[in-house]
Every structure is written in C-alpha cells, then in structure tokens.
Amino acid sequence: LEDKKRGNSDHLDRIDLLEMFIKTFGKEAIEVLLGDREFIGKHWLNYLIDNGIPYVFRLKEEGQYISNARGKMVKIAALFKGLNPGEKH
C-alpha cells in the first residue's frame, strides 16, 4: 500500500486491491474472502455484498456489538449463542 504504514488499510484500499485482483483473475476465482476482525466496516461489507463476494470474518466476542435482522444492536455472543462448532449463520 502506497503512503501507508505497514499493516494499515481502509475500505478504499481494500476495494482497490480487490478490484485489481478481479481485473486480473476474474471474480469467479474468489471462492470466499477471509479476513480478520480488523477488516470490518460498513462500506467494505456493503461493497462485498453488492458485488456478490462471499466473505468470512473472525469477530471478537467480548464487548462487540452487531445489528441483528431487525437492525437492533446486540452482543455478538448473544446473536450466535445457539451455534455449535462448525455451524454457520
């Protein structure tokens, strides 16, 4: 990443990088995009959803909130408490 400290990116950097990948290899080359908890954000997630790019992100359980299907902010642990290891939601 030009003009960035090592390891830092924002949603615009990620979108640019992913668009370069798609231009080179095609979107069909992406089975799933894996990311750590630092790679979240409304603009970034909306880009992935709008472009049909499947993703899996690791999320912190402690103190993290996410909106449920009704738009209400709930703790991540509460939203996923019924899942067993290996299940997805």
Side-chain angles (χ1 to χ4, degrees):
L1 300 173
E2 294 179 20
D3 301 323
K4 297 283 183 169
K5 292 181 181 177
R6 189 180 330 167
N8 292 338
S9 67
D10 59 23
H11 70 279
L12 297 174
D13 294 326
R14 291 179 223 132
I15 290 169
D16 287 346
L17 185 60
L18 193 53
E19 287 181 351
M20 284 191 291
F21 179 92
I22 291 169
K23 185 177 179 182
T24 304
F25 300 104
K27 193 180 342 182
E28 62 278 355
I30 303 171
E31 185 172 336
V32 66
L33 182 73
L34 298 175
D36 206 357
R37 58 185 171 234
E38 292 85 11
F39 290 91
I40 60 172
K42 185 176 182 177
H43 297 294
W44 172 234
L45 292 177
N46 285 339
Y47 170 83
L48 296 174
I49 292 165
D50 291 346
N51 287 281
I53 299 170
Y55 61 88
V56 175
F57 293 134
R58 185 173 76 124
L59 300 174
K60 287 192 259 184
E61 180 180 331
E62 293 299 318
Q64 290 283 332
Y65 287 81
I66 192 169
S67 61
N68 65 15
R70 294 181 209 98
K72 180 181 176 185
M73 297 301 287
V74 296
K75 285 189 174 186
I76 289 175
L79 190 61
F80 297 110
K81 72 179 178 182
L83 290 180
N84 292 316
E87 291 182 322
K88 61 183 179 179
H89 179 71

